[in-house]
Amino acid sequence: MSGTVPVDLAGFDWDAVPALIRKAEKELGVEHPTSRYLVVNTASTVFESQRPGMSVYLSDAYGSAYLTADPKGKVIAAYPRED
């Protein structure tokens, strides 16, 4: 994508991912997820506020929810499903 900045994957704490998934399952309001996935977010020159990080998504037949974290696994924001 235009403006995407390469990210060094060695700078991510991959050991933090299981805890992020557990936190997402506990806090996002998707009781029986049918899909779970991790997205690596790169920085952007177009959207200057976009920094490297990761997002954990949970979804089911009714919708999805996600949380974002910095490369070290600190949660920045959570977007639970609204019923």
Side-chain angles (χ1 to χ4, degrees), residues 49-79:
S49 64
Q50 185 173 329
R51 308 238 186 279
M54 49 190 149
S55 300
V56 174
Y57 287 79
L58 301 179
S59 63
D60 62 13
Y62 303 104
S64 62
Y66 70 101
L67 58 79
T68 60
D70 69 12
K72 299 301 179 190
K74 178 183 175 194
V75 175
I76 298 167
Y79 302 92

Side-chain angles (χ1 to χ4, degrees), residues 13-36:
D13 182 359
W14 300 110
D15 292 333
V17 172
L20 286 173
I21 293 171
R22 285 191 299 274
K23 186 171 187 73
E25 290 174 340
K26 182 177 178 183
E27 297 182 8
L28 294 181
V30 180
E31 290 187 32
H32 304 287
T34 55
S35 177
R36 296 169 183 85

